[in-house]
Amino acid sequence: MEIIIASDREQVARLGADSVAQHVLDDPEAVLGLATGSSPLRVYQELGRRVAAGRLSLRRCRAFLLDEYLGLPSGHPQSYREVIERDFVRLVDIDGANVIGPDCGSVDASACGLAYEEQIAAAGGIDMQILGVGANGHIAFNEPGSSFSSRTRETTLAERTRRDNARFFGDDVDAVPHRCITQGVGTILEAGHLVLIATGERKARAVRELVEGPVTERVPVTALQQHPQVTVLLDDAAASLLQTREGHREVITDTPGG
Ligand code: GLP
């Protein structure tokens, strides 16, 4: 696991975009895994700037979402399908039809989960997965206690996550769905390269568990310790509780990719 502590959120974004861009330069048909939430937003914006400047093209890429709320009407502005359309697809040159989410509609969620796993497998698996982390250590919607071998499935959101995500629903926690469909921890661990982005003090405890804690299903993000290729991009605040922070690479100045 490579831990990089950047000087600020903008630099985290540039480094995240560098990772994606390098991957796509090596393989223009790369299959990307996209996270929603606020953490990757600046990375997506930076990718958009590089595409607009003609320095990068995602035209031949495909992408899969990590998760989706259940029970929101189709087209709801906070459904992850809509969020990724607004925050990623419109900024870059990827074909929206090649950005796939676990949209169940009226389909039974367990059949939908199985079908989603098959779609990912048919694409050859996810080459690079962008991840955020919940304040409680969740990844995608795998809440504390999720099995490390879990696959795409319907599950329940923790109350902490519903409260955290209420900010996207006009601060109305009652508007946040209780149920969701998510790639499992086991699904996520099969991606070739995991790039986790965490910024702000609110993430410091989860980051400490990820980097220094024991591997435990009580903190799903610690599963990443078992993956051979993980890049963790942090700002100072997110890294603030690390006892080992001196040992990690600190990026003080601009990188050439910026
Ligand atoms: C959400 C998403 C996760 C995301 C996490 C952190 O609930 N399902 O994929 O990584 O919470 O969100 P944020 O980046 O907004 O802090």
Side-chain angles (χ1 to χ4, degrees), residues 96-231:
N98 288 333
V99 178
I100 298 163
D103 303 325
C104 296
S106 56
V107 180
D108 162 72
S110 67
C112 174
L114 216 62
Y116 197 57
E117 292 275 339
E118 282 166 9
Q119 280 178 295
I120 294 173
I126 291 167
D127 297 311
M128 171 169 278
Q129 176 66 58
I130 297 168
L131 288 171
V133 59
N136 66 356
H138 75 236
I139 47 172
F141 275 140
N142 293 283
E143 298 286 14
S146 298
S147 162
F148 284 175
S149 56
S150 53
R151 312 299 307 186
T152 304
R153 69 202 184 288
E154 179 177 355
T155 184
T156 304
L157 294 179
E159 280 312 300
R160 167 90 194 256
T161 301
R162 293 186 62 246
R163 283 200 306 275
D164 281 352
N165 288 4
R167 66 192 195 278
F168 297 113
F169 290 82
D171 284 326
D172 178 9
V173 72
D174 294 332
V176 183
H178 288 266
R179 305 287 287 168
C180 60
I181 181 161
T182 181
Q183 284 189 32
V185 178
T187 318
I188 293 167
L189 290 178
E190 283 173 7
H193 181 181
L194 306 179
V195 178
L196 183 135
I197 295 156
T199 57
E201 207 181 330
R202 212 168 57 84
K203 301 297 173 69
R205 285 169 68 112
V207 166
R208 183 180 60 194
E209 296 302 314
L210 160 65
V211 178
E212 297 170 352
V215 175
T216 169
E217 289 176 345
R218 285 202 291 272
V219 187
V221 73
T222 62
L224 270 57
Q225 291 184 27
Q226 300 179 334
H227 190 283
Q229 200 185 356
V230 180
T231 304

Side-chain angles (χ1 to χ4, degrees), residues 4-13 42 196-204 207 232-242 245 250:
I4 300 178
I5 305 170
S7 51
D8 56 30
R9 287 171 193 235
E10 295 306 325
Q11 194 166 58
V12 167
R42 286 183 166 84
L196 183 135
I197 295 156
T199 57
E201 207 181 330
R202 212 168 57 84
K203 301 297 173 69
V207 166
V232 179
L233 300 175
L234 306 172
D235 68 354
D236 259 328
S240 58
L241 294 180
L242 292 181
R245 57 168 298 154
E250 298 227 20

